Amino acid sequence: MLEGLCHSLRRTLARGSRQSTCTRPRLQLSRSAARFRPPPPRPAAQRPRSVRMASPLHAAAALSLQDCSKGCAAEGAGDPGDGGAAGVAKTFQAKDLIITPATILKEKPDPSGLLFGSVFTDHMLTVEWSSEGGWEKPHIKPFQNLSLHPGSSALHYGVELFEGLKAFRGVDNKIRLFRPNLNMDRMLRSAVRTTLPGFDKEELLECIQQLVKLDQEWVPYSTSASLYIRPAFIGTEASLGVKKPTKALLFVILSPVGPYFSSGAFNPVSLWANPKYVRAWEGGTGAYKMGGNYGASLFAQCEAMEHGCQQVLWLYGEDNQITEVGTMNLFLYWINEDGEEELATPPLDGIILPGVTRQCILDLAHKWGEFKVSERYLTMDDLTAALEGNRVKEMFGAGTACVVCPVSGILYKGEKMHIPTMENGPKLASRILGKLTDIQYGREESDWTIVLS
């Protein structure tokens, strides 16, 4: 089916112009990622993009000041207790949670045969919002289809966002969430950027915990599987006007999952790098977790698969800067130009998604203090020169879905670049994966987890 879709897409697009030219203005960006360490400054002559770093609060404030019909400030994005219009709920509260248990429970799947995101649990969480009444009470109810007006803004203009985190059943049978506060931070930032209403992050997290507790038997009894938690937030106003929505729906669904890639949990993947496709750009939404960033990438993903690669390595700019992979942030462990052992990843300059696993890896590497750790720009020329000089040790992706995934090759300009990740262990990637999974499955105590039971 996927191959047929890819063929149809390619044939349709081939009828149009195969190339287009445009001039993109050079913009200065505010950094949007809360609690993420800024990259070390580089000399202006070496910095390919013009970036102005600022605090997340300043970024949110700048967004809220934009003129957007009736304003773009996210209702309720401030302190939930700061008042507001009489009768308008600035946020929902977990103490008001309504729970309607399912009367018919589904059979639990075998953890060893799970496909990613294809099975769903018995319950879901929904919270509705309107500009007139604010937030309604949160409701956990039996898993069911949504009822949406055909004119809902999410369906026509992509006014929506999502998140992804996991619950793990530990070796002690306790259920843990892994750094969920970072997901809540990112979700609120995405809501501001999408002009969807703000909410109290702690209240949402408490509602999610109650949902997971209710469906706790769906958390796999396995240290090679987990329960994927998918919060989503959509505009539901019935209007074809391109504007900030006056109605919205926040919902959370759960899905027991195994490895993200069909090749397995820690098998290497190959990447397809072609500058004719761009994932994100300066001033865009690349730093936010919105569905449009992913749906628009599917055509390039289809082409990558046609070339025998599992994922797209997104490049940017005339110098083909390495940014990220389709579902992962990217890391390069190498001997850099100055002869230093370094773990490098592209900086959060506005076009990179601030991944939770990315931040965990940086935190671990800084704590270990065994090699240089950098958030810096990397180009395909940098990588090519390093491969020619035998300076590349490992390359791997990182994300909630895959955790850590080795990279074994890159198809670039018609040539296969071999990455010697597996020949080198991969010692670092394996070490990072082991450390993260030890924390997630309770083999090691950490303040990065919240224990639910």
Side-chain angles (χ1 to χ4, degrees):
M1 181 179 293
L2 180 58
E3 288 77 3
L5 172 62
C6 294
H7 177 72
S8 297
L9 286 171
R10 290 175 59 81
R11 184 176 57 189
T12 300
L13 292 184
R15 298 193 185 106
S17 174
R18 301 186 65 88
Q19 293 183 343
S20 63
T21 59
C22 64
T23 302
R24 290 195 297 268
R26 303 291 291 181
L27 302 176
Q28 286 190 322
L29 304 177
S30 293
R31 185 179 179 121
S32 62
R35 301 184 62 185
F36 288 88
R37 185 177 295 103
R42 300 180 71 194
Q46 294 179 297
R47 192 175 299 129
R49 296 196 286 275
S50 177
V51 179
R52 183 182 69 232
M53 299 299 181
S55 73
L57 291 178
H58 290 163
L63 282 169
S64 67
L65 291 175
Q66 293 179 12
D67 182 14
C68 191
S69 182
K70 295 183 179 179
C72 285
E75 288 87 344
D79 184 349
D82 63 1
V88 176
K90 301 293 286 185
T91 188
F92 53 88
Q93 297 184 350
K95 68 179 180 64
D96 298 325
L97 182 63
I98 301 169
I99 300 179
T100 304
T103 56
I104 300 177
L105 302 181
K106 294 176 286 188
E107 183 179 354
K108 312 299 185 294
D110 181 353
S112 64
L114 287 171
L115 297 178
F116 193 91
S118 61
V119 178
F120 298 93
T121 66
D122 294 312
H123 297 90
M124 63 190 297
L125 169 71
T126 64
V127 199
E128 295 188 37
W129 173 89
S130 70
S131 58
E132 291 185 357
W135 285 102
E136 297 184 9
K137 293 181 179 180
H139 190 179
I140 292 178
K141 61 182 69 173
F143 188 90
Q144 58 194 262
N145 293 336
L146 299 177
S147 178
L148 294 178
H149 190 284
S152 296
S153 55
L155 302 178
H156 295 268
Y157 308 120
V159 183
E160 62 81 48
L161 60 95
F162 69 97
E163 265 301 328
L165 58 157
K166 287 179 176 179
F168 303 85
R169 188 178 297 277
V171 293
D172 55 2
N173 202 36
K174 294 180 180 179
I175 297 173
R176 293 171 172 81
L177 301 182
F178 183 72
R179 303 193 81 173
N181 57 302
L182 296 185
N183 295 95
M184 298 299 99
D185 291 342
R186 186 171 63 186
M187 187 171 180
L188 184 57
R189 291 196 303 271
S190 296
V192 173
R193 184 64 171 86
T194 321
T195 72
L196 287 167
F199 53 87
D200 187 294
K201 298 174 291 186
E202 295 301 323
E203 298 294 337
L204 174 57
L205 181 54
E206 178 60 30
C207 289
I208 290 174
Q209 292 182 59
Q210 294 302 317
L211 176 63
V212 174
K213 286 181 181 179
L214 184 60
D215 276 345
Q216 61 182 286
E217 285 304 308
W218 284 88
V219 183
Y221 287 81
S222 169
T223 54
S224 60
S226 57
L227 183 69
Y228 189 81
I229 304 169
R230 168 53 61 86
F233 201 2
I234 63 175
T236 57
E237 179 182 0
S239 172
L240 297 182
V242 183
K243 61 179 181 177
K244 175 183 173 181
T246 60
K247 291 184 178 181
L249 173 66
L250 190 158
F251 63 94
V252 182
I253 55 178
L254 310 175
S255 174
V257 298
Y260 182 79
F261 295 110
S262 59
S263 58
F266 200 63
N267 290 323
V269 298
S270 59
L271 309 179
W272 182 71
N274 193 316
K276 70 177 180 178
Y277 297 123
V278 179
R279 173 191 173 272
W281 49 89
E282 294 177 348
T285 60
Y288 306 93
K289 205 164 181 67
M290 301 175 180
N293 293 336
Y294 296 81
S297 72
L298 292 178
F299 187 78
Q301 175 65 26
C302 286
E303 192 160 340
M305 295 174 65
E306 290 176 358
H307 284 88
C309 300
Q310 284 78 41
Q311 288 282 296
V312 177
L313 173 57
W314 297 102
L315 306 179
Y316 183 83
E318 295 179 357
D319 54 351
N320 290 332
Q321 295 170 36
I322 295 170
T323 62
E324 61 181 276
V325 180
T327 57
M328 305 180 287
N329 292 116
L330 197 66
F331 285 84
L332 177 63
Y333 181 44
W334 67 334
I335 304 299
N336 67 18
E337 306 91 331
D338 300 320
E340 303 167 303
E341 186 177 354
E342 179 183 52
L343 177 65
T345 191
L348 301 179
D349 59 359
I351 71 170
I352 301 289
L353 183 72
V356 173
T357 309
R358 173 189 185 276
Q359 185 60 39
C360 293
I361 292 173
L362 291 174
D363 290 343
L364 288 176
H366 279 292
K367 182 179 179 180
W368 291 337
E370 300 172 10
F371 41 78
K372 185 176 182 178
V373 182
S374 302
E375 296 178 68
R376 53 165 288 182
Y377 294 106
L378 297 164
T379 68
M380 289 303 294
D381 284 348
D382 293 333
L383 178 60
T384 299
L387 287 171
E388 292 175 349
N390 294 319
R391 293 188 284 111
V392 173
K393 294 176 175 288
E394 301 175 31
M395 177 179 279
F396 52 90
T400 297
C402 69
V403 190
V404 176
C405 181
V407 174
S408 60
I410 300 174
L411 183 59
Y412 176 61
K413 293 184 177 180
E415 296 185 5
K416 186 68 173 290
M417 303 170 64
H418 176 69
I419 310 297
T421 303
M422 304 310 289
E423 290 88 331
N424 289 314
K427 294 181 180 178
L428 182 58
S430 298
R431 179 183 179 187
I432 291 171
L433 177 63
K435 183 71 171 181
L436 292 177
T437 53
D438 280 349
I439 294 173
Q440 292 167 343
Y441 289 101
R443 290 185 287 261
E444 178 178 328
E445 292 296 325
S446 172
D447 59 5
W448 282 0
T449 62
I450 295 178
V451 180
L452 301 188
S453 61

